[in-house]
Amino acid sequence: MQCVCFAQCVRRLWRPAQARRLLKVTELHRSVRQLQHTKRNQCQVMEDNKPWALISEVGDEGFTEDVTDILRRHFHIVPHKDLLQNPLLYGPKIQAMFLWNALPLVEPSLLSSLPSLKVVVNGGVGIDHLDVPYINSVGVKVTNTPGVVSDATADMALGLLLASARTILEGHRIAVDPKTTRIPQTLIGVEVSGSTMGIIGMGHIGHKIAQRGKGFDMKILYHNRSRRSVEDEQAVGATYCKNMDDLLRESDFVVLAVNLTPESRGLISHRELSLMKPTATLVNISRGLVVDQDALVKALQTGTIRAAALDVTHPEPLPRDHPLLSLPNVLITPHIGTNTYTTIRKMVQMMVENALAALKGQPLPNEVKPK
């Protein structure tokens, strides 16, 4: 009997406590739901307030899928084909245009279809594909991504130089050929360590190339529109050649690292190639139009120079019957100087920063202005 009374007393005391606890739990759940609803609303507002940006595409010829997340954090992105399909929907919204591999083409017709456009953001340093004065004349700014591409591009220059000098590609072909039964002893390259490298264009990329050449105990010559400081020269052991002809005559490897300008177009042609050593190699990581390709073909065919290693041509890719593609002393890569995961992500992040600064009316970190 006492046990029954005790149980009844416990139940009378427990029910109010349990009710109070259930009330607190219910209130907590309600608060959590309200907080979640508020966050969803805030996220939706932030999503709705993101500016709109035009890109070429997501895929092989545009931004790779793994870097579009950087763009999507800050922008609604519109592929060019979607703009073409629905210009009235997207045209008035787009405030920024992100260029990758010079696409989409910035033509007057495209600019006129984007009345809210504030900035054209170029991925890469070279802006030879852009009419900057015209773009500025319609109230649109232009930016690029200097600095972040320098290490990868300089690595590519040395990679091409080494691969050509040491016949690495030819060696690979022999090593994997199913017909190979012995290793030929005629596969002999040229020495890189202790040789002379002449760099034409001693900007940020050129200086990085010189740093790498110094690591191979190379003698470094350079030609530039203006001489670098004594400190810069001493840092890489470089010697200035005011006359480019002197550099061409003395160098075992001539590396082109200039921007494409009206002055640099066709910079290396018959005369310049004839000044080079017959044992010399031409390395081009700048732009294809810096070199007269017909003159280069002739120089390679006649033994005027030993070899060429090119990351750039004109056009890209070359027509499949172009003579450069069949010469045994030519190494060509498809303009991949900046193509590393780290560099591409750095470029896209810098592009986003440039675009956001333009849309906020802030000073542009990397604005390109007409010269």
Side-chain angles (χ1 to χ4, degrees):
M1 184 68 181
Q2 288 178 341
C3 291
V4 172
C5 291
F6 177 75
Q8 291 173 343
C9 289
V10 168
R11 281 196 296 272
R12 282 196 299 270
L13 293 172
W14 172 253
R15 284 170 185 151
Q18 188 179 35
R20 285 193 298 272
R21 186 166 68 251
L22 288 172
L23 180 61
K24 288 181 179 179
V25 170
T26 302
E27 289 175 347
L28 179 60
H29 285 172
R30 187 182 298 115
S31 298
V32 169
R33 285 196 299 272
Q34 289 174 345
L35 181 60
Q36 290 174 337
H37 180 70
T38 301
K39 285 186 174 181
R40 279 196 299 270
N41 286 341
Q42 289 174 341
C43 289
Q44 186 61 47
V45 170
M46 290 174 64
E47 183 73 16
D48 292 341
N49 288 339
K50 285 196 302 188
W52 292 73
L54 179 68
I55 65 170
S56 55
E57 65 172 82
V58 178
D60 289 344
E61 296 184 9
F63 289 90
T64 57
E65 189 66 48
D66 61 327
V67 298
T68 54
D69 64 303
I70 301 174
L71 297 174
R72 288 193 174 105
R73 281 183 219 139
H74 304 278
F75 293 90
H76 296 290
I77 59 175
V78 181
H80 189 216
K81 65 177 182 180
D82 291 353
L83 172 67
L84 294 176
Q85 291 171 356
N86 204 331
L88 295 179
L89 174 63
Y90 294 117
K93 297 179 179 180
I94 291 169
Q95 293 180 281
M97 187 189 311
F98 291 108
L99 304 189
W100 199 255
N101 295 328
L103 295 174
L105 295 176
V106 184
E107 298 176 320
S109 58
L110 177 59
L111 292 172
S112 64
S113 71
L114 306 174
S116 302
L117 187 67
K118 290 183 172 60
V119 63
V120 171
V121 185
N122 186 61
V125 179
I127 44 85
D128 49 274
H129 54 287
L130 296 174
D131 187 345
V132 177
Y134 177 77
I135 296 171
N136 287 169
S137 74
V138 296
V140 177
K141 295 181 181 295
V142 177
T143 68
N144 64 352
T145 59
V148 294
V149 304
S150 300
D151 280 318
T153 308
D155 289 347
M156 191 69 191
L158 263 291
L160 286 168
L161 188 155
L162 287 165
S164 177
R166 298 307 307 274
T167 62
I168 289 174
L169 187 58
E170 295 89 333
H172 169 75
R173 288 173 180 154
I174 291 170
V176 301
D177 189 339
K179 298 178 182 178
T180 297
T181 57
R182 63 181 183 84
I183 306 299
Q185 297 305 302
T186 54
L187 197 65
I188 300 174
V190 297
E191 196 80 9
V192 173
S193 296
S195 63
T196 299
M197 177 165 64
I199 303 170
I200 299 177
M202 195 65 153
H204 203 258
I205 293 172
H207 201 258
K208 291 283 188 178
I209 294 169
Q211 286 178 345
R212 285 150 177 76
K214 184 182 179 183
F216 284 89
D217 296 323
M218 301 178 84
K219 178 183 178 182
I220 309 296
L221 307 177
Y222 78 97
H223 173 75
N224 203 45
R225 286 179 299 178
S226 56
R227 185 170 181 173
R228 299 286 298 239
S229 67
V230 174
E231 293 76 15
D232 287 345
E233 291 180 349
Q234 291 177 344
V236 294
T239 300
Y240 179 59
C241 293
K242 185 175 182 180
N243 189 333
M244 189 175 74
D245 290 358
D246 295 334
L247 179 148
L248 293 170
R249 290 188 183 98
E250 295 182 37
S251 299
D252 299 303
F253 300 93
V254 174
V255 183
L256 303 178
V258 296
N259 292 325
L260 180 61
T261 65
E263 295 73 29
S264 65
R265 185 182 293 256
L267 181 68
I268 303 298
S269 192
H270 293 282
R271 191 189 76 84
E272 290 73 27
L273 291 163
S274 69
L275 295 175
M276 293 172 61
K277 298 178 181 180
T279 55
T281 298
L282 180 70
V283 179
N284 189 8
I285 49 88
S286 57
R287 285 291 188 269
L289 285 171
V290 172
V291 177
D292 178 344
Q293 288 180 165
D294 292 337
L296 179 59
V297 168
K298 184 175 180 180
L300 292 164
Q301 288 174 333
T302 59
T304 301
I305 65 173
R306 170 188 170 271
L310 315 170
D311 186 46
V312 289
T313 60
H314 182 76
E316 293 173 351
L318 288 171
R320 296 298 85 187
D321 59 350
H322 195 283
L324 278 176
L325 300 180
S326 59
L327 291 174
N329 50 349
V330 178
L331 172 60
I332 302 177
T333 51
H335 204 154
I336 55 174
T338 61
N339 286 21
T340 70
Y341 289 109
T342 299
T343 295
I344 288 174
R345 292 189 74 84
K346 285 181 179 179
M347 289 171 67
V348 174
Q349 184 60 49
M350 182 176 283
M351 293 171 75
V352 167
E353 291 167 2
N354 285 332
L356 291 176
L359 300 191
K360 294 175 183 177
Q362 298 172 350
L364 301 188
N366 304 288
E367 184 174 3
V368 178
K369 296 184 178 180
K371 294 183 179 179

